[in-house]
Amino acid sequence: MEILETAAALQTLTETWRREGRRIGFVPTMGALHEGHLQLVRTAAAENDVVVVSIFVNPTQFNNADDFKFYPRTLESDAALLQGTGATVIFAPSVEQMYPRTSVVRFDFGPLERVMEGAKRPGHFNGVATVVSKLFHLSRPHQAYFGQKDWQQVAVVQQLLADLSFDLKLVSCPTIREEDGLAMSSRNRRLRPEARAVAPRLYEALQLTAAALREGLSPGEAQQKGAEWLQQFPDIELEYLEVADAQTLQPAWAGPSAEQPLVICLAAWLGGVRLIDNVLVDGE
Ligand code: AMP
C-alpha cells in the first residue's frame, strides 16, 4: 500500500484509474485511526475496485488552536492498521500541498450550520467543505464514505454534493462503539483515566433521552431529562444536548415518526477533551 504525499501524484493515479474504468471509493480521515475508520475502509473496499484513504489533519476546520495542536498524528501506525483492510493507497499530504495559497472562498450552509456543531464551532463546516471539496477533486471518487458519528457533517456534505453537483455518492455508515458504549474517536486517546471512566455516560444519556421520546415525552422534556441526568457527573461538562429533525437538524417540536425521524446529538467536555455523539430515533 503506497503512501502518496502530493496532490499531483494522487491526481495522476486517480486519472489513470478513471480511464481504466475502475470504481474509486474514498474515505477521508484525520488519522489516529480506530475501528470506526477501518469499518469505513472495509465497506469502501467491498463496494469499489480501489480505495483512497486520506489522512490529513485539516487546519481550517479547527476553531480551537489547542485542539489542532494536540490532535494525535500517528501516520506510521495508521498505515500498519490499514494493512489488510482493502485500502489501495494512503494520501497523506502536507498543509502546503492542500493549501498552496490561503483559500478565500467561504461556504455558508444556512440553517444546517446555525445549530449544534456549526453554532458552537464557528467556521468548522467552512473548513470541512473546503477540504472535502479539494479531496473530492483530487481523488475523483465514485463513492465517498462518512461516519454517522458526525451526523451534522454528513448532512452538510450531502448539501455540498447537491449544491456543487459533485458526481459521486455519499455512503454514511453506522457509528462504531467501544464495548461500554463510548463512540470510538481519535480524541478518546487523549482522555485521562478518570475522564475515560465516565465517558460512556454520554451514550447512556442519549439512550435515556431516546427512551423518553419513545415513551411519549416531548422533545423539550426528553432533552431536559437527558441533560439533567448528566449533571450528576461532575467530570462531564455538557455543551449541548439537542433533539432535532434528523434531516434538517432544526429543533424538533413533535415526537419521532416514520416520516420524521429525530436525531439526538450532544457535545461535552471531559477534562479538556471535547467529544460528540448522537443516536437516531426513527419512531419504530
Ligand atoms: P475523523 O478522522 O474523526 O475526521 O473521521 C473520519 C471519518 O470517520 C468521518 O466520516 C467520521 O464520521 C468517521 N468516524 C469517526 N469515528 C467513527 C466511529 N466511531 N464510527 C463510525 N465512523 C466514524
Side-chain angles (χ1 to χ4, degrees):
M1 193 179 29
E2 207 181 344
I3 302 183
L4 302 179
E5 292 179 350
T6 68
L10 182 63
Q11 264 174 327
T12 305
L13 180 66
T14 56
E15 166 89 43
T16 309
W17 282 343
R18 279 270 177 171
R19 268 208 308 269
E20 292 170 355
R22 301 219 221 180
R23 282 191 73 73
I24 303 174
F26 173 51
V27 184
T29 83
M30 298 204 297
L33 300 183
H34 51 66
E35 193 55 32
H37 297 114
L38 301 183
Q39 286 292 356
L40 297 182
V41 178
R42 290 190 197 103
T43 309
E47 297 178 355
N48 300 273
D49 300 316
V50 285
V51 177
V52 177
V53 179
S54 66
I55 296 180
F56 178 61
V57 184
N58 173 38
T60 65
Q61 73 187 70
F62 285 81
N63 60 324
N64 177 314
D66 273 356
D67 192 23
F68 177 64
K69 190 165 130 200
F70 296 122
Y71 200 88
R73 290 158 170 90
T74 57
L75 182 57
E76 229 171 86
S77 54
D78 287 347
L81 281 173
L82 285 169
Q83 294 290 349
T85 58
T88 316
V89 70
I90 298 174
F91 179 52
S94 62
V95 172
E96 292 69 32
Q97 278 293 317
M98 291 305 289
Y99 294 98
R101 52 199 279 183
T102 307
S103 48
V104 295
V105 171
R106 291 286 171 267
F107 291 88
D108 181 343
F109 291 92
L112 263 189
E113 68 162 288
R114 305 273 182 269
V115 294
M116 302 192 282
E117 291 303 283
K120 299 292 181 187
R121 303 180 67 188
H124 171 65
F125 287 120
N126 176 64
V128 168
T130 303
V131 80
V132 160
S133 300
K134 285 170 175 278
L135 290 167
F136 286 163
H137 287 307
L138 299 176
S139 57
R140 303 177 219 265
H142 296 85
Q143 309 201 87
Y145 294 78
F146 288 80
Q148 289 166 11
K149 156 99 178 357
D150 297 275
W151 189 275
Q152 193 172 7
Q153 173 169 276
V154 169
V156 162
V157 176
Q158 289 281 22
Q159 187 73 44
L160 175 74
L161 295 183
D163 281 12
L164 298 187
S165 303
F166 275 102
D167 185 18
L168 63 96
K169 182 175 149 212
L170 187 160
V171 182
S172 78
C173 302
T175 301
I176 306 296
R177 300 180 178 281
E178 302 288 355
E179 272 184 17
D180 59 13
L182 175 64
M184 291 193 184
S185 163
S186 305
R187 291 183 176 90
N188 290 353
R189 59 179 86 190
R190 291 189 46 221
L191 293 172
R192 284 192 290 271
E194 324 79 82
R196 175 62 188 82
V198 83
R201 304 286 94 81
L202 298 178
Y203 182 47
E204 274 179 59
L206 291 172
Q207 287 177 308
L208 191 122
T209 309
L213 284 171
R214 290 197 189 97
E215 282 159 18
L217 264 66
S218 72
E221 289 163 342
Q223 195 169 302
Q224 197 179 351
K225 192 170 175 186
E228 276 175 9
W229 184 80
L230 275 174
Q231 281 175 4
Q232 65 185 300
F233 307 105
D235 289 331
I236 297 178
E237 192 191 323
L238 185 65
E239 196 170 85
Y240 65 78
L241 186 154
E242 289 189 23
V243 180
D245 179 298
Q247 238 114 57
T248 66
L249 301 184
Q250 303 311 297
W253 301 106
S257 63
E259 303 76 48
Q260 197 194 26
L262 303 182
V263 64
I264 311 166
C265 300
L266 64 70
W269 289 88
L270 286 83
V273 180
R274 188 175 182 277
L275 300 181
I276 60 170
D277 197 356
N278 66 77
V279 296
L280 186 69
V281 192
D282 56 15
E284 302 273 295

Coordinates of all heavy atoms in Angstrom, one line a residue, residues 28-31 34 36-37 40 71 145-150 153 173-176 183-186, ligand 1:
P28 N -12.2 9.9 3.6 CA -11.4 11.0 4.2 C -11.3 10.8 5.8 O -12.3 10.6 6.4 CB -12.2 12.2 3.9 CG -13.6 11.8 3.6 CD -13.6 10.3 3.3
T29 N -10.1 11.0 6.3 CA -9.9 10.9 7.7 C -8.9 11.9 8.2 O -8.1 12.5 7.3 CB -9.4 9.5 8.2 OG1 -8.0 9.4 8.1 CG2 -10.0 8.4 7.5
M30 N -8.8 12.1 9.5 CA -7.7 12.9 10.0 C -6.7 12.0 10.7 O -5.9 12.5 11.5 CB -8.3 14.0 11.0 CG -9.2 14.9 10.2 SD -9.4 16.5 11.0 CE -10.1 16.1 12.6
G31 N -6.8 10.7 10.5 CA -5.8 9.8 11.1 C -6.1 9.4 12.5 O -7.2 9.6 13.0
H34 N -9.0 4.2 14.1 CA -9.5 3.2 15.0 C -10.5 2.4 14.2 O -10.7 2.6 13.0 CB -10.2 3.9 16.2 CG -11.2 5.0 15.8 ND1 -12.3 4.8 15.2 CD2 -11.1 6.4 16.0 CE1 -13.0 5.9 15.0 NE2 -12.2 6.9 15.4
G36 N -13.7 2.5 13.9 CA -14.7 3.2 13.2 C -14.2 3.6 11.8 O -14.9 3.4 10.8
H37 N -12.9 4.1 11.7 CA -12.4 4.4 10.4 C -12.2 3.1 9.6 O -12.5 3.1 8.4 CB -11.0 5.0 10.6 CG -10.9 6.3 11.3 ND1 -10.3 6.4 12.5 CD2 -11.4 7.5 11.0 CE1 -10.4 7.7 12.9 NE2 -11.1 8.4 12.0
L40 N -15.2 1.9 7.8 CA -15.5 2.7 6.6 C -14.6 2.2 5.4 O -15.1 2.0 4.3 CB -15.2 4.2 6.8 CG -15.9 4.9 7.8 CD1 -15.5 6.4 7.8 CD2 -17.4 4.9 7.6
Y71 N -4.0 17.4 18.4 CA -4.7 16.3 17.7 C -3.7 15.2 17.4 O -2.6 15.5 16.9 CB -5.3 16.8 16.4 CG -6.4 15.9 15.9 CD1 -7.7 16.0 16.4 CD2 -6.1 14.8 15.1 CE1 -8.7 15.1 15.9 CE2 -7.1 13.9 14.7 CZ -8.4 14.1 15.1 OH -9.4 13.2 14.7
Y145 N -17.2 7.7 1.7 CA -17.7 7.1 2.9 C -17.5 7.9 4.2 O -16.4 8.4 4.4 CB -17.0 5.7 3.1 CG -17.4 4.8 2.0 CD1 -16.8 4.9 0.7 CD2 -18.4 3.8 2.1 CE1 -17.2 4.1 -0.3 CE2 -18.8 3.0 1.1 CZ -18.2 3.2 -0.1 OH -18.6 2.4 -1.2
F146 N -18.6 8.2 4.9 CA -18.6 9.0 6.1 C -19.3 8.3 7.2 O -20.2 7.5 7.0 CB -19.3 10.4 5.8 CG -18.5 11.3 4.9 CD1 -18.5 11.1 3.5 CD2 -17.8 12.3 5.4 CE1 -17.8 12.0 2.6 CE2 -17.0 13.2 4.5 CZ -17.1 13.0 3.2
G147 N -18.9 8.7 8.4 CA -19.5 8.0 9.6 C -20.7 8.8 10.2 O -20.6 10.1 10.2
Q148 N -21.7 8.1 10.6 CA -22.8 8.8 11.2 C -22.5 9.4 12.6 O -23.2 10.2 13.1 CB -24.0 7.8 11.4 CG -24.6 7.4 10.0 CD -25.5 6.2 10.1 OE1 -25.8 5.7 11.1 NE2 -25.9 5.7 8.9
K149 N -21.3 9.0 13.1 CA -20.8 9.6 14.3 C -20.8 11.1 14.2 O -21.1 11.9 15.1 CB -19.4 9.1 14.6 CG -18.5 10.0 15.4 CD -18.5 9.5 16.8 CE -17.6 10.3 17.7 NZ -16.8 11.4 17.2
D150 N -20.5 11.6 13.0 CA -20.6 13.1 12.7 C -21.8 13.4 11.9 O -21.8 13.6 10.7 CB -19.3 13.5 12.0 CG -18.1 13.3 12.8 OD1 -17.7 14.1 13.6 OD2 -17.5 12.2 12.7
Q153 N -22.1 16.6 10.0 CA -21.2 16.6 8.9 C -21.7 15.9 7.6 O -21.6 16.4 6.5 CB -19.9 16.0 9.3 CG -18.8 15.8 8.2 CD -17.5 15.4 8.7 OE1 -16.7 16.3 9.2 NE2 -17.2 14.1 8.8
C173 N -22.2 5.5 7.2 CA -22.0 4.2 7.9 C -22.2 4.4 9.4 O -21.9 5.4 9.9 CB -20.6 3.6 7.6 SG -20.2 3.4 5.9
P174 N -22.8 3.3 10.0 CA -23.1 3.4 11.4 C -21.9 3.7 12.4 O -20.8 3.3 12.0 CB -23.7 2.0 11.8 CG -23.8 1.3 10.5 CD -23.1 2.0 9.4
T175 N -22.2 4.3 13.5 CA -21.2 4.6 14.5 C -20.7 3.3 15.2 O -21.5 2.5 15.6 CB -21.8 5.5 15.6 OG1 -22.2 6.7 14.9 CG2 -20.7 5.9 16.6
I176 N -19.4 3.2 15.2 CA -18.8 2.0 15.9 C -18.4 2.4 17.3 O -17.8 3.5 17.5 CB -17.5 1.5 15.1 CG1 -17.8 1.3 13.6 CG2 -16.9 0.3 15.8 CD1 -18.8 0.1 13.4
A183 N -18.6 6.0 21.9 CA -18.3 6.1 20.4 C -16.8 6.2 20.2 O -16.1 7.0 20.8 CB -19.0 7.3 19.8
M184 N -16.3 5.4 19.3 CA -14.9 5.5 19.0 C -14.5 6.9 18.4 O -15.3 7.4 17.6 CB -14.4 4.4 18.1 CG -14.5 3.0 18.7 SD -13.6 1.8 17.7 CE -14.0 0.4 18.7
S185 N -13.4 7.4 18.8 CA -13.0 8.7 18.4 C -11.5 8.8 18.5 O -10.9 8.3 19.5 CB -13.7 9.8 19.2 OG -13.0 11.0 19.0
S186 N -10.8 9.5 17.6 CA -9.4 9.7 17.7 C -9.1 10.5 19.0 O -8.0 10.4 19.6 CB -8.9 10.5 16.5 OG -9.2 9.8 15.4
Ligands
AMP1 P1 -12.1 11.9 11.6 O1 -10.8 11.2 11.4 O2 -12.5 11.9 13.0 O3 -12.3 13.1 10.8 O4 -13.2 10.9 10.9 C1 -13.1 10.4 9.6 C2 -14.4 9.7 9.3 O5 -14.6 8.6 10.1 C3 -15.6 10.6 9.4 O6 -16.5 10.3 8.3 C4 -16.2 10.1 10.7 O7 -17.6 10.3 10.8 C5 -15.8 8.7 10.7 N1 -15.8 8.1 12.1 C6 -15.2 8.6 13.2 N2 -15.4 7.9 14.3 C7 -16.3 7.0 13.9 C8 -17.0 5.9 14.6 N3 -16.8 5.7 15.9 N4 -17.8 5.1 13.8 C9 -18.0 5.3 12.5 N5 -17.4 6.3 11.8 C10 -16.6 7.1 12.5

